């Protein structure tokens, strides 16, 4: 981020992610790939071209790609136009680390993302800090009221999972289910998950 290398790295990641998503379509049809975008990439102003090129080279349908942005990226000049252009391409948008940035409700109103990703710092506080639990419930309620899917990040314990389920969060991610893994291992994990072989309860 600081020296600008994130732009070149981000473009490489986008291309590799699209290639991988297309490879997986043969055995995991409909699987959507989610890719984080840096605020620095938005500042460059050519992210739409980068995404178009990655999709074209991989021959991946735009409906199978989701981009994740942080709230701070929304503050960049022209960011809403960029996000609208991505949405016009049928690419899903997720707002990452929600609740830790500027949390501009006016931006949520003006721009419709598909998902809000509840930051893991609040999830870690479940069962520890009442304030984190209150904020978590509030974001879940806000998301539902505005028609967003809310994804809880950083779920690591059964207590956190039970709390989130109890308060209507149906999509979670975190080490409670799996840690980062190579593509081949991830492919096997997803297949086993889809077949109901894994017991994640």
């Amino acid at each position: 981020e600081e020296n600008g290398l994130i732009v070149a790295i981000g473009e490489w990641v986008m291309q590799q992610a699209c290639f991988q998503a297309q490879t997986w379509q043969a055995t995991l049809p409909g699987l959507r790939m989610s890719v984080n975008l840096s605020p620095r990439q938005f500042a460059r102003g050519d992210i739409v071209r980068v995404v178009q090129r990655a999709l074209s080279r991989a021959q991946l349908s735009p409906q199978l790609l989701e981009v994740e942005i942080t709230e701070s990226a929304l503050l960049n000049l022209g960011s809403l136009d960029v996000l609208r252009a991505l949405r016009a391409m049928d690419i899903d948008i997720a707002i990452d680390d929600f609740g830790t940035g500027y949390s501009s409700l006016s931006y949520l109103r003006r721009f419709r993302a598909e998902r809000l990703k509840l930051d893991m710092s609040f999830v870690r506080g479940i069962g520890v800090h009442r304030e984190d639990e209150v904020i978590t419930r509030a974001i879940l309620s806000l998301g539902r009221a505005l028609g967003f899917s809310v994804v809880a990040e950083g779920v690591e314990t059964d207590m956190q999972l039970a709390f989130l389920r109890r308060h209507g969060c149906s999509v979670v991610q975190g080490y409670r289910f799996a840690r980062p893994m190579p593509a081949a291992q991830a492919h096997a994990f997803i297949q086993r998950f889809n077949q109901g072989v894994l017991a994640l309860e």
Side-chain angles (χ1 to χ4, degrees), residues 42-54:
F42 271 81
R44 278 279 300 270
D46 61 349
I47 192 63
V48 173
R49 179 188 55 80
V50 168
V51 172
Q52 287 174 328
R53 185 167 57 207

Side-chain angles (χ1 to χ4, degrees), residues 90-112:
D90 286 332
I91 294 170
D92 282 356
I93 308 293
I95 300 178
D96 199 16
D97 302 334
F98 187 78
T100 60
Y102 297 93
S103 300
S104 172
L105 298 183
S106 66
Y107 272 79
L108 287 182
R109 183 185 63 201
R110 290 167 55 194
F111 177 76
R112 296 293 302 167

Side-chain angles (χ1 to χ4, degrees), residues 18-19 25 27 29 57 64 66 69 87 90 101-103 113 127-128 135 145-146 149 153 156-157 171 178-179 193:
C18 288
F19 280 139
Q25 292 310 305
T27 51
R57 286 178 176 172
L64 298 174
E66 175 181 85
I69 61 161
R87 283 290 304 277
D90 286 332
Y102 297 93
S103 300
V128 181
I135 291 170
L146 292 176
S149 169
E153 299 182 293
E156 297 184 355
T157 70
V171 185
R179 291 179 177 267
F193 182 88

Side-chain angles (χ1 to χ4, degrees), residues 9-25 31-37 51 54-55 57-61 64-67 183:
I9 293 172
E11 185 167 352
W12 179 84
V13 167
M14 177 63 70
Q15 185 64 77
Q16 295 304 309
C18 288
F19 280 139
Q20 186 62 69
Q22 181 58 32
T23 298
W24 278 343
Q25 292 310 305
L31 183 72
R32 187 175 58 240
M33 180 67 76
S34 189
V35 182
N36 290 86
L37 294 181
V51 172
L55 289 169
R57 286 178 176 172
Q59 296 184 323
L60 181 70
S61 169
L64 298 174
L65 178 66
E66 175 181 85
V67 296

Side-chain angles (χ1 to χ4, degrees), residues 20 24 27-28 31 33 178-194 198:
Q20 186 62 69
W24 278 343
T27 51
L28 298 168
L31 183 72
M33 180 67 76
R179 291 179 177 267
M181 60 185 76
Q185 189 178 343
H187 179 267
F189 177 90
I190 296 167
Q191 282 189 312
R192 290 165 61 212
F193 182 88
N194 288 346
L198 295 177

